[in-house]
Amino acid sequence: MLLKPHSRIQVFEGAEDNLPDHDALRAALAIRQLAEGLTADDLLLVLISGGGSALLPAPIPPITLEEKQTLTKLLAARGATIQELNTIRKALSQLKGGGLAQAAYPAQVVSLILSDVVGDPVEVIASGPTVASDHNVQDCLHIFDRYGLRAALPCSVKTVLAQADSDPRGPHTCGHVLNVIIGSNILALAEAQQQAEVLGYRAVVLSAAMQGGSPLAVYRSDRHQCHGCPPPVPPATVMA
């Protein structure tokens, strides 16, 4: 990561232990400033991977980073799913939920995405900084109600949600954006299957949607042997 003197590349480090911090906030605000300075003649190339939510924290004022962190931790502790957490993150962020793409408008935006979410929903990966959110304030309130947190919301969060609910512009769109998945569980499984077959195995992908602990792979003997073929090898199970 060492850059040459006078390099035009800037590297920001932050989100230690995959938690948003003030170093990550400083980076997020610098990225927003860069995006807001683009014109219709510019192209913004965005590289996105899992962990982007923690690396790009930019709470909507007057929400503080600490308030957003506390709220996220409370939701996670009460069993909120990653989809629910990201719904809240997007609603309270300047850059998530398509906010980065909106800041870059009217520049064209191309996002190359490494997915860490089963099924590759681009609006969930890193909380979708270049994907317009399809959630509204009522979705957020339902989540807070589900986990008994609505009454404990900070005044700043209530203010931001009220402002979003009354925004006459409505939700923004991302028609100037191209989002491309360049790496995912499905792509990795397909490559692993192909390489296993090159080595002479009969590889079967049982699932690309398994989450949590994986069951033990079950092997069986194939007693059929074709004339002129080498002895069969046990089928290999390729799983996430």
Side-chain angles (χ1 to χ4, degrees):
M1 297 298 294
L2 295 179
L3 302 175
K4 295 181 180 179
H6 312 299
S7 172
R8 297 180 64 183
I9 298 174
Q10 291 180 273
V11 176
F12 294 87
E13 295 185 5
E16 187 175 356
D17 297 325
N18 199 34
L19 295 173
D21 55 25
H22 285 280
D23 287 332
L25 175 60
R26 181 170 62 91
L29 296 179
I31 290 171
R32 188 193 66 181
Q33 183 179 21
L34 182 150
E36 290 176 338
L38 300 178
T39 70
D41 296 325
D42 293 314
L43 169 67
L44 178 64
L45 181 63
V46 185
L47 308 179
I48 297 175
S49 70
S53 290
L55 285 166
L56 202 69
I60 299 173
I63 300 173
T64 67
L65 182 62
E66 289 75 18
E67 287 175 328
K68 192 175 178 183
Q69 283 178 311
T70 299
L71 190 55
T72 301
K73 289 178 180 178
L74 285 173
L75 283 166
R78 298 192 181 194
T81 66
I82 183 63
Q83 289 81 5
E84 291 172 327
L85 289 172
N86 282 355
T87 295
I88 300 302
R89 286 168 174 160
K90 288 186 285 188
L92 306 181
S93 173
Q94 301 177 63
L95 296 177
K96 296 177 174 66
L100 177 59
Q102 185 71 4
Y105 185 82
Q108 294 295 304
V109 179
V110 175
S111 287
L112 306 179
I113 303 170
L114 290 172
S115 172
D116 68 332
V117 182
V118 168
D120 307 333
V122 290
E123 72 278 6
V124 175
I125 303 164
S127 300
T130 58
V131 184
S133 177
D134 57 358
H135 296 287
N136 56 39
V137 172
Q138 290 304 313
D139 294 325
C140 296
L141 295 179
H142 287 323
I143 292 171
F144 291 134
D145 286 338
R146 185 176 300 129
Y147 297 104
L149 291 173
R150 185 166 178 174
L153 292 178
C155 291
S156 58
V157 172
K158 294 178 181 178
T159 297
V160 167
L161 292 178
Q163 290 172 344
D165 203 24
S166 60
D167 190 344
R169 296 170 299 174
H172 58 260
T173 60
C174 293
H176 59 301
V177 180
L178 174 64
N179 292 299
V180 183
I181 298 285
I182 62 170
S184 70
N185 191 35
I186 293 174
L187 294 174
L189 287 170
E191 181 64 22
Q193 180 183 22
Q194 181 178 348
Q195 291 302 315
E197 289 171 347
V198 168
L199 295 173
Y201 290 91
R202 291 186 299 104
V204 178
V205 178
L206 294 182
S207 172
M210 184 168 292
Q211 302 183 62
S214 299
L216 294 175
V218 178
Y219 295 91
R220 65 177 177 81
S221 298
D222 188 341
R223 291 180 170 78
H224 178 72
Q225 182 175 348
C226 297
H227 178 72
C229 295
V233 295
T237 302
V238 182
M239 304 185 69

